Amino acid sequence: MPISAVNFIFNNVPSGHLAYDSAVARVDYNMGPNDTMFGRYLFDKEVTTTSPTLPLPAYSGGKQINLKAQSIGLQWNHILTPNLVNSFSVGYTRYQNTLGTLNSYRQDFITTSGITNTLSATEPLFWGVPSISIPGLLAPSDVTPSYRTMNAYQMLESVVWTHGKHTFKFGGDLQKIQTDMFYTGANGSWTFANSYTGNNFADFLLGDASAVNKTAKATNWNSWVWYLSSFAQDDWKISKRLTLNLGIRYEVESALRQSDHCGLGMTLQGSQAIQLVSSQCTSLPLIQSFSADIRPDVLYSVVTNHSAPYDSDTNNVSPRFGFAYSVNDKTVVHGGYGIYYASPGVSSLASSNDFAPDTLRPTWTANPTTPNYGWNPEGASSAQAALKNAALTVFPVLSRSLPYAMIQEWNINTQRDLGHNLTLDLTYQGSKDDHLFGFDNTNFRAPGPGNVQTLLPYPQYARIQNFATWAAANYNGASIKLEQRAFKGLSYMAAYTYAKSLDQGSQLEQSGQWSNPLDHRTAYGPSDFNATNRFTVSYTYQLPFGHGAALFHNVNSFTNKLISGWGVRGITQYQTGLPQTPTMNLSREGICATACIARPDRVGNGNLARGSRSIGHFYDVNAFQVLPAGGVSGRIGNSGRNVLTAPPINSSDFSLFKETKLGESQAVEFRWENYNVFNHTQWSAPSVNMEAPATFGVITGTADPRIMQFALRYSF
């Protein structure tokens, strides 16, 4: 693509960096001929800092993550008879994670800018810049700070019994998982997307926001669950050629409990949304006062017969089946089918007690055609008084029934020995997932004009972001793999996969991906991680120099140390680009105030032919059309989800290494590592916001260029 001018500007931002420390300790004790014990301790500490997107003084867009994990375990193995062995183990894991902005504890740009009623006013962890969104422009924004401490206690018991052609395995797993976490919508956000003046940047300069939300107070989520599972398995060697694997597993997790005993969900009765609060709730007097004095329209009901927001799912029985059949001495066929269950998890459901007045998170959605909100829509009111007329946000459970996600998986594989340690694998695998866990905004209306917030069925709430389990997914993929295990110093693996993954939501705790709230099928499309084609080659070659090798094997010891141990390693991958979804401003449909997705009309393909693409024109902007402003069309855009495909990946990593042995038990390895060794440009995903058509389909970034590093490793 011709470039008329090049402006080389030094962007004074620091590089990211990683500091990592780890330690492992293990003790083995032989108690006698039938008993052994071992204990182990693991320690990991990691501090990761990413580069900011904007330099000083803003210093925004970067983050610092502090991780610390410790684990201790003890296992006792006891031989009851030569055919019967019992194993018992206990363990404890503690995990701590803190995420902050690069301005945390350094500079508060929010309060000093005159923005009121945010967490930055009381908690230095939340210091940063205001998170501003202007379609088509790079505006200051910071990550959402959070912290979490998890304590997991585990006890495992298993028995292995060998009897004739059968190997039976039985066991169980008991866990208690406790999580203390603080995660919220950061300080809030300010969006300028309604083009009141005809230009969103001009709206920003005037302070005419299309949407504002703030967080002045948030709930600390301290919750726990109990988990129990048991299994039975039989490896049955029917004949020399055929082995069957038969198994069954049962698991159950208790309903989540909160330390404050407050959030029991919500019930929707006609035009009334009623929060359910336990009679044991520690902040019940505050809730009663808030409802009586500030928000009488926020209804609540005290519940005495439940202490958890939902009932445990107790019917999770998982059969498993597998087989291995040896066709001949060189060909083996494997296959299997299994059902697996996935519980929602503590962190997912922890926010069920996240509601006012324990959480103060007002939201204001502006009139789509006339500006009526600025940086502080609440004026000079206090954080709690600001909620008197502002819409609230809640994350309730709407049903006592909350089934586990059920995953069915199946596969068949043929492996052929080609000789000289070379094998060929042909594999097909598939899966079908139901009851996947996510969020779903139930506070919506039919598309149309007007102030959306006041026309919603529950106007006192900006969103009722309830937990839902209606999403589904499926995967089908075929692969071919050629693997050379070590042969004359060379080993390599080449694999190609052709696959398709479809779903109605690709991430845990993801908001609803539908465009039509009355039709969840509009969420169905290629998964966010779907890559149709993927080819990977990895290799290691030990140069044949030195004692015991093909070349220079008669040299003296000193020369041998210089020339032996040299080799190369590398990995190359080619992959289809990941999918993207075109978007437009939600106010063009008027179905929700927030937490919904609006897509434009699709009148063409949108993906350009390979020879027609460039970094300034990767997608066809004319293939999409936005709806008129203000919801006047009374309908929803027809574009599907993830209909565009971003640039592909073409990357090669290469390293040269030298291993030098220092006696029989010690060695030093030197490595020269090159990431993206050919310095091939890896283009980032283009913009897909139709509110900024001038930048739609424009690539504005790249992944890392070639990176070299040297490493030295001592092993003993």
Side-chain angles (χ1 to χ4, degrees):
M1 183 174 116
I3 301 176
S4 58
V6 178
N7 186 10
F8 294 102
I9 299 176
F10 174 65
N11 191 1
N12 185 24
V13 298
S15 301
H17 61 268
L18 168 67
Y20 180 77
D21 296 291
S22 66
V24 179
R26 172 168 171 149
V27 176
D28 291 273
Y29 177 51
N30 191 344
M31 303 167 60
N34 295 326
D35 297 275
T36 60
M37 293 187 69
F38 80 83
R40 53 112 180 100
Y41 171 75
L42 305 175
F43 173 84
D44 288 289
K45 185 177 181 181
E46 182 177 325
V47 180
T48 303
T49 303
T50 65
S51 298
T53 55
L54 293 176
L56 292 169
Y59 212 45
S60 64
K63 59 187 175 184
Q64 185 174 86
I65 307 172
N66 290 272
L67 303 177
K68 183 179 179 181
Q70 300 178 82
S71 176
I72 187 169
L74 181 68
Q75 181 170 318
W76 171 34
N77 299 315
H78 177 59
I79 301 175
L80 297 167
T81 70
N83 297 329
L84 187 63
V85 179
N86 183 81
S87 293
F88 174 77
S89 61
V90 292
Y92 167 71
T93 300
R94 181 177 176 85
Y95 172 86
Q96 296 169 287
N97 171 20
T98 300
L99 169 63
T101 74
L102 297 184
N103 286 303
S104 293
Y105 303 100
R106 174 185 165 273
Q107 178 68 55
D108 178 13
F109 288 100
I110 298 173
T111 307
T112 57
S113 298
I115 297 174
T116 59
N117 295 326
T118 67
L119 289 171
S120 64
T122 58
E123 174 53 65
L125 175 66
F126 285 82
W127 285 0
V129 302
S131 291
I132 300 169
S133 175
I134 308 172
L137 296 176
L138 176 62
S141 182
D142 261 326
V143 298
T144 299
S146 63
Y147 57 80
R148 176 174 63 171
T149 299
M150 184 195 75
N151 294 287
Y153 308 85
Q154 185 175 32
M155 183 168 61
L156 294 163
E157 167 69 21
S158 65
V159 176
V160 178
W161 177 37
T162 303
H163 180 68
K165 295 183 177 182
H166 298 268
T167 299
F168 299 101
K169 299 178 182 179
F170 310 92
D173 181 5
L174 177 64
Q175 299 181 40
K176 181 183 180 182
I177 304 170
Q178 185 174 5
T179 301
D180 180 32
M181 62 186 297
F182 187 88
Y183 182 88
T184 182
N187 294 289
S189 64
W190 292 260
T191 304
F192 300 85
N194 279 352
S195 294
Y196 296 119
T197 62
N199 184 290
N200 288 319
F201 184 66
D203 290 354
F204 163 72
L205 294 177
L206 293 172
D208 291 333
S210 58
V212 176
N213 71 77
K214 294 184 177 184
T215 303
K217 179 184 176 184
T219 307
N220 190 67
W221 305 335
N222 190 324
S223 51
W224 67 92
V225 296
W226 285 91
Y227 170 84
L228 175 66
S229 69
S230 60
F231 71 91
Q233 179 179 321
D234 178 18
D235 295 334
W236 180 15
K237 192 172 181 60
I238 294 179
S239 68
K240 182 179 179 181
R241 291 189 172 186
L242 179 63
T243 300
L244 295 183
N245 311 104
L246 307 173
I248 191 167
R249 183 181 182 88
Y250 175 76
E251 53 192 322
V252 62
E253 184 178 274
S254 67
L256 175 135
R257 300 295 181 94
Q258 299 276 12
S259 60
D260 61 6
H261 306 290
C262 286
L264 295 184
M266 176 178 279
T267 179
L268 304 179
Q269 301 177 359
S271 61
Q272 293 186 331
I274 304 172
Q275 293 182 6
L276 303 178
V277 182
S278 169
S279 57
Q280 305 173 38
C281 177
T282 57
S283 58
L284 182 57
L286 290 176
I287 294 172
Q288 293 171 327
S289 175
F290 178 78
S291 180
D293 302 333
I294 296 179
R295 292 299 296 266
D297 59 333
V298 176
L299 307 178
Y300 73 94
S301 177
V302 177
V303 177
T304 59
N305 59 339
H306 293 294
S307 57
Y310 58 94
D311 297 325
S312 297
D313 185 10
T314 59
N315 62 347
N316 306 307
V317 179
S318 310
R320 315 278 172 86
F321 166 78
F323 72 91
Y325 179 69
S326 178
V327 180
N328 51 47
D329 292 342
K330 293 184 177 293
T331 305
V332 178
V333 179
H334 303 266
Y337 170 83
I339 295 178
Y340 305 84
Y341 289 93
S343 63
V346 176
S347 61
S348 306
L349 291 163
S351 60
S352 60
N353 69 342
D354 192 3
F355 54 84
D358 293 329
T359 295
L360 303 179
R361 187 184 295 128
T363 298
W364 296 271
T365 302
N367 187 296
T369 57
T370 304
N372 58 332
Y373 290 132
W375 294 93
N376 293 310
E378 74 278 28
S381 302
S382 66
Q384 185 156 316
L387 295 179
K388 193 173 186 69
N389 299 309
L392 308 179
T393 294
V394 287
F395 300 87
V397 176
L398 296 183
S399 172
R400 298 294 308 174
S401 175
L402 200 67
Y404 281 12
M406 184 178 76
I407 299 99
Q408 301 178 69
E409 294 184 352
W410 55 89
N411 68 80
I412 188 165
N413 164 267
T414 300
Q415 187 177 74
R416 174 75 176 178
D417 183 357
L418 302 178
H420 301 293
N421 290 335
L422 184 64
T423 58
L424 176 68
D425 279 37
L426 300 175
T427 302
Y428 161 75
Q429 63 183 69
S431 67
K432 182 179 183 296
D433 307 346
D434 295 293
H435 305 302
L436 296 179
F437 188 79
F439 286 119
D440 197 13
N441 187 0
T442 60
N443 197 20
F444 60 83
R445 62 153 191 158
N451 190 321
V452 179
Q453 185 63 61
T454 60
L455 298 173
L456 291 174
Y458 311 104
Q460 64 271 46
Y461 295 102
R463 54 175 169 160
I464 299 177
Q465 196 85 344
N466 64 286
F467 299 100
T469 58
W470 53 261
N474 64 80
Y475 171 87
N476 289 278
S479 65
I480 179 171
K481 181 177 75 173
L482 186 67
E483 183 173 7
Q484 174 70 69
R485 290 183 286 274
F487 181 71
K488 294 185 177 181
L490 174 66
S491 62
Y492 63 85
M493 188 273 290
Y496 169 73
T497 301
Y498 177 80
K500 191 163 190 177
S501 179
L502 299 166
D503 61 36
Q504 292 173 301
S506 301
Q507 302 174 37
L508 183 67
E509 303 178 47
Q510 191 173 29
S511 298
Q513 297 298 293
W514 40 257
S515 58
N516 184 347
L518 297 175
D519 186 359
H520 288 162
R521 291 175 300 178
T522 57
Y524 190 66
S527 302
D528 296 347
F529 50 81
N530 178 66
T532 305
N533 299 280
R534 181 179 176 88
F535 176 70
T536 304
V537 176
S538 62
Y539 56 89
T540 299
Y541 181 57
Q542 187 89 29
L543 297 177
F545 302 154
H547 294 172
L551 301 175
F552 310 115
H553 50 272
N554 292 323
V555 298
N556 59 44
S557 297
F558 176 76
T559 304
N560 180 69
K561 286 189 180 297
L562 292 178
I563 67 173
S564 65
W566 288 93
V568 294
R569 300 187 186 102
I571 183 170
T572 296
Q573 63 171 328
Y574 302 92
Q575 178 183 297
T576 306
L578 299 180
Q580 290 185 275
T581 301
T583 62
M584 67 178 183
N585 195 351
L586 184 58
S587 66
R588 293 184 181 275
E589 294 177 343
I591 57 173
C592 304
T594 186
C596 293
I597 292 174
R599 306 181 197 134
D601 279 341
R602 189 183 187 193
V603 296
N605 185 287
N607 292 288
L608 294 171
R610 185 168 187 171
S612 302
R613 300 186 305 220
S614 67
I615 62 172
H617 189 217
F618 195 83
Y619 296 139
D620 181 10
V621 66
N622 297 314
F624 302 96
Q625 294 178 355
V626 298
L627 302 184
V632 295
S633 67
R635 64 183 186 86
I636 292 169
N638 65 21
S639 177
R641 171 174 167 249
N642 283 341
V643 296
L644 299 171
T645 303
I649 295 173
N650 177 354
S651 178
S652 296
D653 301 334
F654 173 84
S655 69
L656 173 70
F657 65 89
K658 167 72 168 77
E659 184 178 32
T660 303
K661 292 189 178 298
L662 306 175
E664 294 188 5
S665 60
Q666 301 178 69
V668 173
E669 185 184 65
F670 165 79
R671 296 193 303 270
W672 174 41
E673 299 174 333
N674 295 263
Y675 300 96
N676 191 10
V677 63
F678 300 117
N679 205 26
H680 185 86
T681 304
Q682 309 294 325
W683 301 111
S684 60
S687 168
V688 289
N689 188 346
M690 281 297 294
E691 296 298 332
T695 60
F696 185 92
V698 176
I699 298 174
T700 58
T702 64
D704 290 334
R706 181 194 299 121
I707 296 176
M708 297 184 187
Q709 68 180 29
F710 296 97
L712 189 66
R713 178 184 177 184
Y714 170 65
S715 58
F716 59 93

